[in-house]
Amino acid sequence: QVQLVESGGGLVQAGGSLRLSCVASGIIFRGNAMGWYRQAPGKQRELVGTITSDGITNYADSVKGRFTISRDNSKNAMYLRMNSLKPEDTAVYYCNAVLRARRVTKNGMDYWGAGALVTVSS
């Protein structure tokens, strides 16, 4: 059964920290670059950052220096450490393969997990 499970979200004050986890099926995770994405209320989903299968990371300018992505290939798991959180980081956070060709599709659409809600209060 295909899975993408994000966890670790919650409510935090501005300046605080959270660590999100993502566990994915091997068919999605193994050998693929993975990404963290987020979707704020009323906005489109955006890319937060990526990590290649051998650990090279890249980040959106809005989170650079504050967020850190890591992965544990033995567990098909990826993590997002978020520091110095800002109210504008409030969103539902998702993980998935970076390349659409590596994603699982259902009914012709990319499969996404339920996401992890992060709420940052000012």
Side-chain angles (χ1 to χ4, degrees):
Q1 185 174 349
V2 175
Q3 67 170 1
L4 278 168
V5 181
E6 301 91 354
S7 62
L11 174 64
V12 62
Q13 287 189 329
S17 298
L18 278 176
R19 184 179 185 249
L20 304 183
S21 299
C22 163
V23 176
S25 296
I27 192 172
I28 298 172
F29 190 90
R30 209 163 292 136
N32 294 327
M34 294 292 293
W36 281 101
Y37 302 79
R38 67 185 181 187
Q39 186 166 18
K43 295 188 177 180
Q44 288 192 331
R45 186 177 286 149
E46 64 175 358
L47 179 64
V48 173
T50 62
I51 185 166
T52 64
S53 58
D54 53 1
I56 297 172
T57 55
N58 200 4
Y59 301 94
D61 288 343
S62 59
V63 306
K64 203 171 291 183
R66 300 187 298 121
F67 290 12
T68 303
I69 299 173
S70 59
R71 65 191 285 166
D72 185 338
N73 291 334
S74 68
K75 297 179 180 179
N76 290 348
M78 178 175 63
Y79 309 97
L80 179 66
R81 177 67 180 182
M82 304 183 291
N83 295 328
S84 302
L85 281 161
K86 304 175 181 180
E88 51 263 43
D89 294 318
T90 295
V92 179
Y93 285 72
Y94 303 88
C95 61
N96 213 332
V98 173
L99 293 178
R100 293 196 65 184
R102 297 285 189 257
R103 295 176 186 170
V104 172
T105 59
K106 289 190 175 182
N107 299 320
M109 298 179 66
D110 291 346
Y111 173 76
W112 293 85
L117 175 62
V118 173
T119 305
V120 184
S121 62
S122 57

